[in-house]
Structures are given as C-alpha cells and as structure tokens.
C-alpha cells in the first residue's frame, strides 16, 4: 500500500493551470450562449481564476490567450494577478481568427501572411518577457480542406521555417510548446495533426521545444496514455490540455466523459515521476463551459484531476511490477483497478482541511456569494467571448 503521507504531499504540490478563456462566453458554430456576470476584461478573468485557486489551493496560475487577453500593460496585469494570489502562466498565441489566415498562418502560401503570423508570435514572446511566463503555447488551425489545395510538404517547410525563427527568439529559460490536433477547423489536412508531427518539429528545433497533448485532439479510440508515456520517455511532454469528449474536440469538463481514461493518463504521468511542477509538464485545463456556470465548472474540473491523480498515486506499484514481471495478466490489471475503484474523496477532503480549505470547494464557492456579486457588479461593457 503506498505511503499516504507521500500521496498527500504529491497532491498538495500538484499545479493545474486554468484557462482565461473558460471564464468568457463560449459555444459552437451554432450558438455562443451568454451568461450573466461573465468577465469583460483580462483582470476580471484573473479575478475568476483566483476563485478557483482560493477554493482548491492547486490552481495558482492562469493561461492567457492573445489577443483575447490583450492589455496595454502586461507587467501591470502580472502584478494585478499576483495581488489576487495567482500568476500569469502560459501565453497562448492566436493566429486562427484573422481573415488573412483563411489559407493558414505560418504555413500560408503567401509570405506576407506568414510574416504577419510570425510577428504575432514574436509579440507573444515580448508578452512573456513582461509577465515572466516561461511557456509559449502554439496551436495552429493551419491546414487544407480539399486534396490538391496546397502542397503538404511545402506547408511543412513553411511551418518549420517559422518555428525556427520564433525558437531563435526564445530566452534561455523559455520554452515553445507545440500542440497538435487531428482536424477542425481544417477538414482534409492539418499541418500539426498528431504527436509525431509535433515531435518531429520539436526535435528539429531543439531542447526548448516540447509537445502539448490535448485530450480532445485525437481520433476516437486513440490510446492517449500510450502517447503520454512515449513523450515522457522521450522527455518531450511539455504540456497537457485537460478536458473530455464523447465525440471530437468537445472541450467538456475533464473526467466528465471518461474518468477511467483520465486515470490511465495520470497513471502514466505518476509512473514517470512527472506529476510534480518540477518535472516541467504544464498541466492545464482547456475547456469551454458553453451551458454550465463557468467558475464552479472549473473548480469541479480541478477536483476531477485531483481525484484521478490520487487514484494513480494509490496504485500499489511494487505489486503491479511483480504481477507484470510474472506475466500475471489478471493480477496486474486487478492492482490497477483496485486503485481506480478506490473512493479518494475522503482523502482529498482531509487534504483540503490540512491546507486550511473547505473540504467541499464547490459548496464553499456557492456559499461565498461571489457568483451573485459578479452578476450584480458586471453590468454593461462587452462580456468576454471567443469572437471579441
Ligand atoms: C485548440 C485549443 C488550443 C487553444 C484553443 C482555445 O482547439 O485546444 O489549445 O488555443 O483550444
Ligand atoms: Mn488545447
């Protein structure tokens, strides 16, 4: 049986970054539903992210997305965040919402468009210099919709050239995290569609480049924990975007659709000794709360990651290894299922009390009156949304 003190220590040290865009109005191509009390500014998004940390204790940073979180003074935004008890984390670039990017951004056939895209990526590094962020996170919508539309190889050459330019601009303590996605918004080719393509580019760039895995960015049936184990073995898992899906990039609450998959993924992370912040994997939520209240959904999501992590930390690894070595198929599977079937909620409730927190973060949030306060305060202005 694993040492519960060590398990609690690891859970206490866990860090799960929240995404600023999850607090804004989001939706699908059919409708972006609005909710009362949604933040209008980057500072108000930080206020909401600070609530998630206030009640969970393990979400001390918020990822920003540019230009969704564009401000005049990023150093001031970073100081404001610190006053709220959180830090500005990963800086996410956005070269997927400008008409110029219809045929792509860094892989666009037009060199002028490519230069515009690279200029935005440079701007994101300048923002990292101002906020003290270490990670530049790149996801490209780039791709094609019809066979023959463009040269698959030429687009890879353009992508590689742009990434090399940006990589050269990184400071020694900064990283480039390259996220892949199988499809959408491109529906024939996507220029970074899978872990292999991202890894090839990262290896070609150098040690400060690593791969981001996003749960929803895989073909149905993909064994994501295998990819995670492989990238950790190669020292190239730079980040993980937590969410869940029943079909495609649904961006639902992590663990909601497939808690067993989340457990299997975190089992591989624990086995690799990569659950702690010192291992350098940027674990974050990347979700959209299209119909549900956003802050409680983020709090619930952090709790879902904690529960899956606690179960993974409770795997009796010596017993598992012994069963694996002796070819005891059912025995080995049983060891893992015992951990997965363990109710870890009392353990986590106790940990929260040890941390001076309410054992039930969602209930504590509702009792705080913050939800009513933001509805009352945030009248007028333009609520944050994907398309603003
Ligand atoms: C792309 C993605 C990426 C973010 C965006 C909000 O689907 O997962 O990580 O930039 O969502
Ligand atoms: Mn993502």
């Amino acid at each position: 049986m694993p040492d519960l003190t060590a398990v609690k220590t690891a859970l206490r040290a866990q860090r799960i970054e929240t995404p600023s865009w999850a607090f804004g109005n989001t939706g699908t191509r059919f409708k972006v539903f609005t909710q009362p009390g949604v933040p209008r500014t980057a500072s108000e998004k930080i206020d909401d992210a600070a609530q998630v940390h206030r009640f969970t204790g393990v979400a001390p940073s918020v990822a920003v997305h540019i230009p969704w979180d564009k401000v005049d003074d990023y150093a001031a935004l970073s100081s404001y965040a610190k006053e709220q008890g959180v830090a500005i984390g990963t800086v996410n670039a956005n070269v997927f919402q400008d008409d110029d990017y219809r045929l792509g951004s860094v892989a666009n056939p037009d060199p002028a468009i490519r230069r515009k895209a690279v200029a935005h990526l440079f701007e994101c590094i300048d923002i990292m210099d101002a906020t003290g962020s270490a990670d530049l996170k790149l996801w490209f919508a780039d791709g094609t919709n019809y066979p023959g539309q463009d040269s698959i190889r030429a687009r890879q050459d353009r992508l590689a050239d742009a990434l090399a330019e940006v990589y050269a601009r990184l400071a020694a303590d900064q990283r480039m995290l390259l996220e892949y996605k199988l499809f959408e918004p491109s529906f024939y080719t996507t220029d970074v569609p899978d872990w292999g393509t991202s890894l090839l580019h990262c290896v070609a760039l150098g040690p400060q480049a690593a791969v981001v895995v996003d749960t929803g960015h895989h073909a149905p049936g993909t064994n994501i924990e295998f990819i995670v184990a492989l990238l950790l073995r190669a020292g190239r898992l730079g980040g993980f975007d937590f969410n869940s899906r029943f079909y495609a990039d649904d961006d639902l609450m992590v663990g909601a659709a497939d808690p067993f998959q989340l457990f299997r993924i975190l089992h591989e992370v624990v086995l690799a000794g990569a659950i702690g912040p010192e291992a350098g994997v940027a674990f974050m939520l990347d979700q959209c709360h299209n119909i549900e209240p956003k802050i409680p959904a983020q709090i619930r999501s952090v709790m879902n990651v904690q529960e899956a992590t606690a179960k993974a930390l409770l795997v009796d690894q010596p017993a598992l290894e012994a069963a694996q070595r002796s070819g005891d198929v059912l025995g080995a599977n049983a060891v893992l299922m015992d951990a997965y079937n363990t109710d870890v909620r009392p353990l986590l409730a106790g940990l929260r009390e040890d941390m001076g927190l309410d054992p039930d973060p969602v209930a504590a949030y509702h009792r705080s009156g913050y939800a009513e306060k933001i509805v009352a305060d945030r009248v007028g202005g333009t609520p944050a949304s994907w398309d603003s």
Side-chain angles (χ1 to χ4, degrees):
M1 183 60 181
D3 159 26
L4 280 188
T5 311
V7 167
K8 283 185 142 181
T9 303
L11 288 167
R12 199 172 182 145
Q14 187 168 35
R15 295 290 173 265
I16 303 158
E17 187 162 282
T18 54
S20 66
W21 53 97
F23 301 106
N25 288 322
T26 55
T28 70
R29 59 185 163 174
F30 301 106
K31 172 67 177 168
V32 171
F33 295 101
T34 60
Q35 294 185 23
V38 155
R40 288 87 45 97
T41 63
S43 305
E44 289 181 346
K45 293 177 201 174
I46 287 170
D47 293 341
D48 294 359
Q51 294 302 305
V52 179
H53 186 49
R54 173 183 169 195
F55 293 104
T56 65
V58 295
S61 65
V62 53
V64 294
H65 218 296
I66 310 299
W68 296 340
D69 299 312
K70 192 172 187 53
V71 294
D72 301 335
D73 185 338
Y74 288 99
L77 185 72
S78 181
S79 314
Y80 178 78
K82 290 201 175 59
E83 287 156 24
Q84 309 312 312
V86 291
I88 304 283
T90 308
V91 173
N92 289 258
N94 180 335
V95 285
F96 52 84
Q97 281 190 312
D98 185 308
D99 281 339
D100 284 344
Y101 299 140
R102 178 172 60 85
L103 300 178
S105 63
V106 293
N108 193 295
D110 180 339
I113 304 288
R114 299 201 294 274
R115 275 197 298 283
K116 173 180 177 172
V118 169
H120 171 71
L121 305 182
F122 285 162
E123 181 202 351
C124 288
I125 296 179
D126 297 341
I127 292 168
M128 290 161 65
D129 295 342
T131 60
S133 300
D135 293 338
L136 171 67
K137 181 152 160 268
L138 303 180
W139 169 71
F140 297 108
D142 288 44
T144 63
N145 276 0
Y146 298 98
Q149 173 186 331
D150 198 352
S151 156
I152 291 173
R153 184 173 179 136
R155 294 181 72 92
Q156 289 300 309
D157 294 340
R158 298 165 198 155
L159 170 65
D161 294 348
L163 292 174
E165 260 190 279
V166 176
Y167 187 88
R169 177 72 72 90
L170 294 174
D173 60 354
Q174 294 175 331
R175 297 190 301 174
M176 174 189 286
L177 305 183
L178 183 58
E179 184 175 358
Y180 61 87
K181 181 174 180 178
L182 183 64
F183 80 103
E184 190 214 27
S186 300
F187 296 106
Y188 170 53
T189 66
T190 293
D191 295 310
V192 188
D194 54 31
W195 67 269
T197 307
S198 176
L199 184 61
L200 277 174
H201 283 287
C202 289
V203 169
L205 290 161
Q208 292 170 255
V211 180
V212 173
V213 177
D214 182 311
T215 318
H217 290 188
H218 303 85
T222 301
N223 187 323
I224 298 174
E225 61 270 24
F226 178 89
I227 297 170
V228 166
L230 211 65
L231 292 172
L232 284 166
R233 182 172 176 276
R236 293 283 181 162
L237 180 66
F240 198 103
D241 279 7
F242 285 122
N243 50 59
S244 70
R245 48 81 168 277
F246 290 103
Y247 303 103
D249 194 17
D250 308 355
D251 282 339
L252 300 172
M253 286 193 299
V254 57
D258 191 343
F260 185 42
Q261 179 192 58
L262 179 62
F263 162 76
R264 299 193 314 265
I265 290 168
L266 288 162
H267 170 59
E268 294 303 331
V269 173
V270 167
L271 280 179
I275 202 69
E278 71 289 343
V281 181
F283 293 107
M284 67 181 77
L285 303 176
D286 181 5
Q287 299 172 176
C288 298
H289 306 297
N290 300 344
I291 60 173
E292 69 269 29
K294 301 165 189 298
I295 298 169
Q298 286 280 299
I299 293 173
R300 179 68 252 179
S301 300
V302 169
M303 295 167 66
N304 286 355
V305 174
Q306 288 183 300
E307 289 174 15
T309 305
K311 292 175 184 227
L313 289 164
L314 287 172
V315 171
D316 185 339
Q317 292 191 19
L320 180 63
E321 284 154 22
Q324 290 171 341
R325 263 198 312 279
S326 65
D328 177 359
V329 175
L330 294 178
N333 177 253
V335 171
L336 213 65
M337 295 315 290
D338 285 349
Y340 179 65
N341 293 322
T342 303
D343 183 355
V344 294
R345 293 172 293 182
L347 170 76
L348 285 163
L351 173 73
R352 294 185 185 110
E353 285 170 334
D354 298 349
M355 294 168 75
L357 301 171
D358 190 290
D360 182 342
V362 172
Y365 169 74
H366 286 305
R367 277 198 308 276
S368 74
Y370 185 84
E372 294 75 15
K373 179 178 176 308
I374 55 178
V375 169
D377 295 352
R378 295 175 181 174
V379 178
T382 307
S385 170
W386 280 4
D387 43 22
S388 69

